[in-house]
Amino acid sequence: MKGTTMTLSGKTPKIIMTVACAMMFASPMAATNALAMGNSTSWGSGDTDLSAVTELVDGGMYDKAIDTIKEMLKDDPENADLFNYLAYSQRKQGDFDSAAQNYERALMIDPEHVGALEYQGELFLKTGKPDMARENLARLEQVCGMSCDEYKELSAKIAN
């Protein structure tokens, strides 16, 4: 309709505007959390559901996690998150050589994967390479700043 303007008044438009503003401010925060955690939509192919893997890893079931991840990698061989979780599980089991290789694979796929940078730094500390851990800390500072959880975690472990 040419020449007409539509004005909105009442409770409904105010609610819509409030929800829209809330979503606008919440979306970047949600994306930041997802990137910090390193999920399949932030680093991997986007088609891989990592919930089963995270449950196994969080539950300390590293053998089962490793088996599950290796199967998943057959379908999604370029998923940095899967390599990160695989390396984490291997590190927790004391298989430092395999963990080192898989952190490298994760970082070859995504050089800015904050989870892999942090955990690789922890592996460096565990294997007597504090200088390399500090290099990872410097990379984390460049990627996510000093306020991100991964930076804080690795920094605290280096300090101890």
Side-chain angles (χ1 to χ4, degrees):
M1 299 171 141
K2 190 174 180 184
T4 61
T5 56
M6 185 173 168
T7 59
L8 299 175
S9 61
K11 290 183 180 179
T12 302
K14 289 179 183 174
I15 292 170
I16 292 170
M17 184 60 106
T18 301
V19 170
C21 287
M23 290 174 63
M24 181 177 72
F25 288 109
S27 294
M29 288 188 284
T32 301
N33 288 339
L35 290 174
M37 292 176 3
N39 64 31
S40 62
T41 58
S42 63
W43 305 117
S45 69
D47 295 331
T48 302
D49 179 7
L50 296 174
S51 59
V53 171
T54 57
E55 282 183 36
L56 292 169
V57 171
D58 290 346
M61 296 181 271
Y62 303 120
D63 284 333
K64 189 160 175 61
I66 289 168
D67 291 341
T68 301
I69 294 165
K70 285 181 177 179
E71 283 300 311
M72 293 172 79
L73 281 168
K74 291 176 183 176
D75 294 328
D76 194 0
E78 294 298 312
N79 189 314
D81 289 323
L82 287 174
F83 281 109
N84 183 45
Y85 281 120
L86 178 60
Y88 178 89
S89 297
Q90 291 165 328
R91 177 171 60 93
K92 288 297 191 176
Q93 287 191 315
D95 184 357
F96 299 146
D97 290 338
S98 295
Q101 290 173 4
N102 288 312
Y103 285 132
E104 281 299 317
R105 286 180 180 155
L107 290 168
M108 284 173 40
I109 294 166
D110 185 345
E112 296 183 348
H113 192 290
V114 293
L117 286 168
E118 176 198 346
Y119 291 145
Q120 183 186 49
E122 290 181 25
L123 176 65
F124 289 148
L125 291 173
K126 192 88 169 161
T127 56
K129 301 172 187 166
D131 290 340
M132 293 177 83
R134 284 189 280 279
E135 288 176 22
N136 277 38
L137 187 65
R139 287 175 64 194
L140 279 168
E141 183 178 357
Q142 291 174 344
V143 172
C144 65
M146 295 172 69
S147 61
C148 79
D149 290 338
E150 292 79 5
Y151 179 91
K152 290 177 187 176
E153 288 286 323
L154 184 56
S155 179
K157 293 201 176 181
I158 289 171
N160 290 330

